[in-house]
Amino acid sequence: MKYNKRFTTTAAVAATFLLAGGLAACGGGEGEGDGGGDGGGLEDSYVVATDTAFVPFEFEEDGEYVGFDIDIINEVADRVGFEIELETTNFDGMIPGLQTGTFDIAIAGMTITDERAEAVDFTSPYYKSGLRIAVPVDNEDITSVDDLEGLTIATRLGSTSADYIENNIEGATPNTYEQLDQAYLSVEGGGSDAVLYDAPNVEYYILTAGEDSLKVVGELLEAQNYGIAVSQGNEELVTAMNEALAAMIEDGTYAEIYTEWFGSEPEWLDELAELQAG
Ligand code: ARG
């Protein structure tokens, strides 16, 4: 199943690439002196990092990056008034890249954790998530997280799921991959017993490519919130992005984008609005 993605998304991303390309040459320092104030002021353009494959948040289609996160960051950038210079990197390279200033912003379904919040700043939550387990369709032995003890579990390197496996599942061996496709393939090919990863990604995979091979088992584990990460020292940018997110939730734009990628409105929209206000 594929939810109807806006054809305009691709056009918008392409336009952003072109614009960003022209602006990149005169990036950095350009905002100095115009507005100024605490927190660094706002620049005309920012380097935004995302991942190459985290359906349906960001993935490549016909040579363009599309997905829920891409639509969200484009809308936020429009409202705040900056151009996006999009760069892709492996998920585990995002926080180091923000710390060294290679990237200004990262949007990649990144869970807000206390540990990460020491290294980077986060916007208010823009998505409520959790973790899910999937096993081969013909597996009858694994029905909950308790059945995973001592087994081999595939997931992504540097993710909150990798931490979860290490901290909560006794005797389990995490099989961590740089790209999640490899994790799914490893379960499908019998190299791992199960995959544990972000619920929306597991669910989307099973609705699409993994339809005949994998199934979800057990409860949603560990409630998590995704935030947009920003390199430290950009308080004004974080505040402006929070205002944009709150306005998008308020005026229905958020629900519209969400529905395009997930098929219906989120059940937790009110909760998300409260988190924005708080
Ligand atoms: N939410 C999880 C985390 O923050 C996984 C995110 C993976 N995102 C991605 N674009 N690969 O650790």
Side-chain angles (χ1 to χ4, degrees):
M1 189 186 312
K2 204 178 220 179
Y3 298 114
N4 62 320
K5 296 173 306 308
R6 280 179 312 177
F7 136 86
T8 48
T9 304
T10 312
V13 173
T16 307
F17 270 124
L18 286 176
L19 262 174
L23 286 170
C26 50
E30 173 183 11
E32 279 163 24
D34 63 355
D38 295 329
L42 291 180
E43 303 282 341
D44 296 331
S45 121
Y46 289 104
V47 179
V48 176
T50 191
D51 185 25
T52 50
F54 184 53
V55 291
F57 293 87
E58 49 262 350
F59 57 101
E60 208 178 336
E61 198 176 69
D62 304 326
E64 302 291 348
Y65 286 98
V66 298
F68 177 77
D69 280 351
I70 306 291
D71 285 355
I72 290 288
I73 196 68
N74 274 324
E75 183 69 27
V76 167
D78 263 5
R79 291 183 187 225
V80 175
F82 63 84
E83 297 299 333
I84 293 173
E85 198 184 326
L86 198 67
E87 293 210 6
T88 54
T89 185
N90 279 337
F91 184 73
D92 54 301
M94 284 189 193
I95 293 194
L98 288 168
Q99 287 181 294
T100 56
T102 308
F103 315 124
D104 303 307
I105 297 170
I107 185 161
M110 192 184 288
T111 304
I112 302 172
T113 67
D114 291 344
E115 195 186 338
R116 289 174 179 166
E118 283 177 18
V120 298
D121 291 331
F122 281 104
T123 61
S124 307
Y126 72 93
Y127 189 97
K128 291 189 69 63
S129 191
L131 306 179
R132 279 246 183 258
I133 302 160
V135 297
V137 273
D138 55 6
N139 181 299
E140 303 296 338
D141 304 329
I142 304 170
T143 59
S144 81
V145 64
D146 301 331
D147 300 326
L148 293 180
E149 284 185 11
L151 299 185
T152 301
I153 309 166
T155 194
R156 181 188 289 267
L157 185 70
S159 66
T160 48
S161 297
D163 292 342
Y164 185 93
I165 295 166
E166 270 185 26
N167 299 330
N168 299 285
I169 307 179
E170 230 177 274
T173 309
N175 248 350
T176 52
Y177 295 91
E178 271 195 358
Q179 288 304 329
L180 202 72
D181 296 0
Q182 298 165 315
Y184 288 120
L185 284 176
S186 137
V187 183
E188 287 164 353
S192 301
D193 299 301
V195 59
L196 185 135
Y197 202 47
D198 293 49
N201 182 266
V202 172
E203 287 158 9
Y204 193 90
Y205 183 80
I206 288 176
L207 280 173
T208 53
E211 198 176 12
D212 300 322
S213 55
L214 299 182
K215 64 178 181 190
V216 162
V217 293
E219 305 283 302
L220 188 71
L221 307 170
E222 197 168 81
Q224 301 189 341
N225 293 322
Y226 294 167
I228 303 171
V230 180
S231 68
Q232 287 179 343
N234 287 296
E235 288 79 9
E236 267 179 54
L237 176 60
V238 174
T239 305
M241 291 207 294
N242 281 342
E243 283 166 9
L245 284 171
M248 284 158 61
I249 292 166
E250 179 70 28
D251 69 17
T253 310
Y254 178 91
E256 210 177 285
I257 296 174
Y258 184 98
T259 304
E260 277 167 27
W261 293 103
F262 298 98
S264 58
E265 286 198 7
E267 286 157 19
W268 34 256
L269 198 58
D270 291 347
E271 262 174 85
L272 196 67
E274 271 167 42
L275 287 170
Q276 294 296 323

